[in-house]
Amino acid sequence: MTSRFTELAVDCHDPERLAAFWCAVLDFKVIDRNEGKVEIGSWEPTIEEVRARQMPPTLVFIQVPEGKTVKNRLHLDISPIDGSTDDEVTRLLGLGATKRDVGQGPDRSWVVMADPEGNEFCVLRTLAVTRHG
């Protein structure tokens, strides 16, 4: 007997706004929407695929009345694939993200940011192919 990691739930005030933000960040699409809940992902899960192998989890934004009060104990790490880390940070700032200082100190290879509701995430080193020549 085993289980699969199928989704990551994020409590928030405005599921539509956060889903739109993360769709833009990750090139995901909305795959389910109910009152107070929006699920996004890179694929639409089927029971057969989930049973066959571990697939990428979806993100589910669930409306809750309380606000965020402390630093997240669980956060997303993202890696740019088309440009530099600095270029991605600039793009994310334009989408509504902010930079955060959570005590990481200077000279780190990653950048700590927060989504529009203050949930921290990290932008890691770029995975973009660089051409030498």
Side-chain angles (χ1 to χ4, degrees):
M1 186 181 297
T2 189
S3 294
R4 297 277 190 249
F5 176 23
T6 56
E7 57 195 44
L8 177 67
V10 179
D11 290 349
C12 62
H13 283 289
D14 189 345
E16 292 289 342
R17 180 179 181 211
L18 274 193
F21 171 81
W22 284 103
C23 279
V25 171
L26 300 170
D27 193 26
F28 278 16
K29 63 181 180 179
V30 173
I31 58 175
D32 190 29
R33 177 181 270 124
N34 292 311
E35 187 177 333
K37 181 181 100 169
V38 180
E39 184 174 9
I40 66 172
S42 59
W43 66 297
E44 193 150 352
T46 66
I47 291 173
E48 294 77 24
E49 288 176 309
V50 171
R51 282 187 176 156
R53 64 193 169 283
Q54 180 66 57
M55 302 294 286
T58 61
L59 294 174
V60 181
F61 300 96
I62 302 170
Q63 189 173 35
V64 297
E66 67 273 2
K68 181 179 172 310
T69 57
V70 297
K71 181 173 98 62
N72 295 3
R73 294 195 60 172
L74 175 71
H75 67 266
L76 301 179
D77 285 346
I78 63 172
S79 299
I81 59 169
D82 296 325
S84 71
T85 300
D86 289 341
D87 290 342
E88 184 65 357
V89 166
T90 299
R91 183 180 81 89
L92 298 175
L93 290 169
L95 292 174
T98 55
K99 287 187 178 180
R100 283 289 165 94
D101 181 351
V102 294
Q104 68 270 25
D107 302 324
R108 298 289 181 213
S109 61
W110 67 89
V111 178
V112 179
M113 301 190 80
D115 70 17
E117 288 203 13
N119 300 299
E120 294 90 6
F121 65 96
C122 293
V123 181
L124 305 180
R125 70 190 176 285
T126 183
L127 301 177
V129 176
T130 57
R131 292 185 168 74
H132 301 290

